[in-house]
Amino acid sequence: MIGERLLDLRKDAGITQDELAAVLNINKHSVSSYERDKSEPPDSVKIAMAKYFDVSVDYLLGLTDEPKPYEAASHYARLPLSFPPEAMDDLMDYIGYLCFKYRKEPKKNAGHRTSGSHESK
């Protein structure tokens, strides 16, 4: 999978195998080999690729189809490994409650006059 992703990213960036090889400090043959899935790059090269193309290593490896799945990481909470799967419905209910509790209420009558403020007598 890394080969297809790497080829697509390189072409989208409009760079040659030689140019990518120079950026990654490897040779062109290695880039070609990675793109054809003939060999797999070491982790250090995968990390360099991810940084260069501004994608996650998970994306390069085909674990996700989102190039930047961790972009909004502040909106996620990691559950402990010991979290019981049967408690997931309760957790989702509680999340819904918290969203309701902390939602911002619209200001009442903001910018509107009350009905009667312009009544003629």
Side-chain angles (χ1 to χ4, degrees):
M1 173 62 70
I2 195 168
E4 182 181 334
R5 294 276 166 96
L6 179 59
L7 177 63
D8 289 343
L9 288 167
R10 182 179 61 76
K11 286 188 173 186
D12 288 347
I15 61 173
T16 66
Q17 287 182 341
D18 285 322
E19 291 168 324
L20 181 57
V23 167
L24 300 175
N25 201 26
I26 59 177
N27 60 49
K28 177 185 175 181
H29 175 74
S30 294
V31 172
S32 174
S33 181
Y34 301 153
E35 287 183 352
R36 292 180 292 121
D37 285 321
K38 296 295 182 188
S39 65
E40 184 162 328
D43 290 347
S44 60
V45 173
K46 290 174 191 168
I47 292 167
M49 289 173 183
K51 286 180 179 180
Y52 179 77
F53 291 115
D54 195 25
V55 298
S56 71
V57 174
D58 285 352
Y59 176 76
L60 285 174
L61 297 175
L63 297 174
T64 180
D65 289 331
E66 278 297 316
K68 300 179 191 181
Y70 307 113
E71 221 170 72
S74 65
H75 293 107
Y76 296 96
R78 178 170 282 168
L79 296 175
L81 293 174
S82 61
F83 188 81
E86 60 272 14
M88 189 58 73
D89 286 341
D90 292 337
L91 178 61
M92 295 308 293
D93 287 343
Y94 189 64
I95 290 171
Y97 162 73
L98 291 175
C99 289
F100 173 78
K101 179 179 177 183
Y102 292 103
R103 77 171 191 247
K104 293 182 180 181
E105 294 292 327
K107 293 181 181 178
K108 294 181 179 174
N109 299 324
H112 292 71
R113 297 182 183 204
T114 57
S115 63
S117 62
H118 276 338
E119 288 182 19
S120 314
K121 293 189 179 185

